[in-house]
Amino acid sequence: MKIHHLRNATMIIETGDKVILVDPMLGKKGTAGPTFTLFRFKAQRNPIVDLPSNAMKLVEKTTHCLLTHLHPDHLDKEAENFLRSKQIPVICSIKDEDALLKKGLKVSQTIEYWISNPFLGGKIIGIPAVHGYGFVAKPMGNVMGFYIELPNEKSIYLSADTVYTDDVHKVLTQLKPEVAVVACGTAQLDIFQPLLMRMDDILKFVKNAPNQVVANHLEAVNHCPTTRQQLKVEVSKIGLSDKVFIPKDGESKVF
């Protein structure tokens, strides 16, 4: 299995002849959405960086698309146009099906929480995700992580935009994914608590993950203050640098 990190949460999982595009934000710098903060962090339209030069060549090979939720930094207008024009089969939470069908996308499979479904010769399970600490999670809407087992590949857990919860803990300690992806930007709006894991919870995730961890959702949208360098330093302090892959945009790794 080859994982290509493109930008933010956008990644590609390559397995055999299947190319799975995850949470595509494909627009040029500043075209996916407005600034998410005005005064806590510098106001900038999102994304704040362009896609890496090798990204669209990979994206064009997409055979399936997996969506964790519908925020514009996980599905922007450019990505909608791409998925619609190619009629790419989309796999998503059952709660997002209607909204995606209204956009003219081809929903090929809907997933429910904690129910195992067949997926590309293997299986996929929807995992609850809570997009923020405290009551900010409610207006952020539903999010779904995915635990995936594909034939002859390492199992992978896409935890999605979430804080550390009992469900996240259960996946790490009971399903024991061989690769676990975690959103590390500690996103925060001008008010309320963070929308993603704080550093202590990111490190807890890293410690409890049984195998390799991939860190994403970094340095691409204006409300995510945590940097790759900060994360690198913190992971090294707990002696787990070898366990965590912090990819640059456009970087890939075989697992």
Side-chain angles (χ1 to χ4, degrees):
M1 173 168 67
K2 190 170 189 181
I3 289 180
H4 305 269
H5 169 75
L6 301 187
R7 174 180 62 186
N8 200 47
T10 307
M11 61 192 273
I12 282 175
I13 302 169
E14 238 183 310
T15 168
D17 61 350
K18 305 289 189 289
V19 177
I20 306 162
L21 176 63
V22 181
D23 284 357
M25 173 172 59
L26 303 179
K28 289 185 166 57
K29 181 176 169 179
T31 62
T35 184
F36 292 137
T37 65
L38 292 170
F39 55 83
R40 177 172 259 148
F41 309 116
K42 184 182 169 188
Q44 300 171 81
R45 284 188 62 82
N46 288 299
I48 57 174
V49 291
D50 270 320
L51 273 173
S53 55
N54 62 340
M56 286 315 292
K57 202 172 164 185
L58 289 164
V59 169
E60 291 293 339
K61 299 178 181 173
T62 300
T63 59
H64 297 78
C65 178
L66 200 52
L67 294 177
T68 64
H69 65 304
L70 307 185
H71 289 167
D73 58 330
H74 293 256
L75 177 71
D76 64 358
K77 289 279 180 276
E78 195 70 29
E80 285 174 23
N81 293 339
F82 169 76
L83 296 171
R84 191 167 41 237
S85 66
K86 302 259 187 180
Q87 282 296 285
I88 302 283
V90 172
I91 301 93
C92 65
S93 162
I94 196 160
K95 294 180 177 181
D96 289 333
E97 181 181 20
D98 288 350
L100 291 170
L101 290 173
K102 279 189 187 123
K103 294 174 187 287
L105 302 194
K106 179 185 174 182
V107 176
S108 62
Q109 190 173 8
T110 55
I111 311 293
E112 294 181 61
Y113 294 128
W114 288 116
I115 291 178
S116 179
N117 288 261
F119 179 61
L120 305 181
K123 72 173 186 182
I124 186 168
I125 300 171
I127 309 296
V130 177
H131 201 336
Y133 294 94
F135 67 90
V136 71
K138 201 165 171 72
M140 295 309 287
N142 64 283
V143 184
M144 180 177 274
F146 298 104
Y147 171 81
I148 304 166
E149 289 179 6
L150 294 170
N152 310 312
E153 297 286 18
K154 292 187 167 165
S155 56
I156 182 167
Y157 171 37
L158 307 174
S159 60
D161 281 13
T162 188
V163 297
Y164 198 100
T165 64
D166 289 346
D167 290 301
V168 170
H169 189 73
K170 183 174 166 185
V171 176
L172 296 176
T173 55
Q174 293 181 24
L175 298 181
K176 297 192 186 318
E178 289 161 285
V179 180
V181 181
V182 58
C184 294
T186 320
Q188 195 162 5
L189 302 176
D190 282 328
I191 51 173
F192 306 122
Q193 296 191 70
L195 311 175
L196 297 172
M197 292 182 206
R198 296 187 187 99
M199 187 59 75
D200 58 341
D201 276 340
I202 295 169
L203 297 177
K204 186 173 166 184
F205 186 103
V206 168
K207 285 175 188 163
N208 289 330
N211 298 288
Q212 289 289 296
V213 173
V214 178
N216 70 4
H217 217 306
L218 289 160
E219 299 179 49
V221 283
N222 85 300
H223 65 321
C224 286
T226 303
T227 65
R228 289 176 171 93
Q229 187 54 34
Q230 278 173 306
L231 184 59
K232 214 172 172 174
V233 167
E234 293 300 324
V235 165
S236 124
K237 280 184 195 166
I238 58 168
L240 294 178
S241 299
D242 291 350
K243 192 177 181 180
V244 185
F245 176 49
I246 308 172
K248 296 183 184 76
D249 291 352
E251 200 176 349
S252 55
K253 183 169 177 166
V254 175
F255 288 92

